[in-house]
Amino acid sequence: MKVKTVSLNRKAYHDYLTGTEVKSIRAGRVNIRDGYARPEEGELWLYNTHIARYEGGNRYNHEPTRPRKLLLHRRQINDLSAKVMQKGFTIVPLKLYFKNGNAKVELGLARGKKLYDKRQSIARRESEREMERTMKFAKGLKYR
């Protein structure tokens, strides 16, 4: 029996994860550090996530940093879009995992730090490190 294809959604092959991307994710060759999500025309898109090319792939291998469409319920997209419109909010990927064979991305709503906030965080971290070094050194001394 011959099957006649009436219509083919070619855009679906560009918008969703391809087989080589899924294989690279399973191999752990993905970087979501610089990634962010942005709502566009009622859809949520993931940008700047680097999924390395699959080594066993052929000429149809994927583009490592291409935008990827995220599947969410309409209400979730609307809620996130409204929050992103507020000043300083960004949607960032927190975790990428597999559940029941499907790749899932856990998203978080983040507010960017100001320069002085970053300086305070760095100063606090350095002072904590210095205290730990001092305590470690004090424990190493033996009293006679």
Side-chain angles (χ1 to χ4, degrees):
M1 176 173 204
K2 190 173 181 179
V3 177
K4 181 181 176 187
T5 303
V6 177
S7 178
L8 182 65
N9 184 359
R10 291 183 185 165
K11 191 172 182 182
Y13 292 107
H14 297 287
D15 292 346
Y16 301 106
L17 290 180
T18 63
T20 56
E21 287 174 317
V22 173
K23 289 179 180 183
S24 288
I25 292 170
R26 285 191 194 281
R29 302 191 62 218
V30 61
N31 182 2
I32 60 172
R33 175 174 285 171
D34 297 328
Y36 64 95
R38 186 171 50 199
E40 291 180 5
E41 299 177 12
E43 298 173 336
L44 198 64
W45 290 83
L46 187 63
Y47 293 95
N48 271 6
T49 50
H50 186 274
I51 300 175
R53 291 183 183 271
Y54 183 60
E55 292 173 358
N58 54 17
R59 63 181 181 184
Y60 299 111
N61 222 332
H62 64 276
E63 182 65 33
T65 57
R66 72 179 183 90
R68 293 166 176 95
K69 187 178 189 178
L70 299 176
L71 301 177
L72 281 83
H73 293 284
R74 174 72 47 211
R75 187 182 78 250
Q76 292 172 326
I77 294 172
N78 292 339
D79 289 346
L80 288 173
S81 297
K83 291 178 182 176
V84 167
M85 294 300 172
Q86 295 177 9
K87 185 179 177 190
F89 281 111
T90 305
I91 304 169
V92 293
L94 302 175
K95 182 170 42 169
L96 180 62
Y97 60 96
F98 282 96
K99 183 176 179 182
N100 298 329
N102 295 322
K104 305 256 184 183
V105 179
E106 186 175 310
L107 299 173
L109 196 62
R111 183 186 300 259
K113 277 190 173 182
K114 302 289 184 195
L115 183 59
Y116 57 85
D117 289 334
K118 290 180 186 177
R119 289 180 185 158
Q120 287 175 350
S121 297
I122 292 169
R124 181 174 47 250
R125 191 174 354 151
E126 288 178 358
S127 66
E128 288 173 1
R129 282 184 191 157
E130 188 61 34
M131 286 190 294
E132 286 177 16
R133 282 189 206 124
T134 305
M135 295 296 288
K136 198 174 198 179
F137 179 73
K139 284 184 179 180
L141 295 177
K142 294 185 179 179
Y143 297 102
R144 293 185 184 204

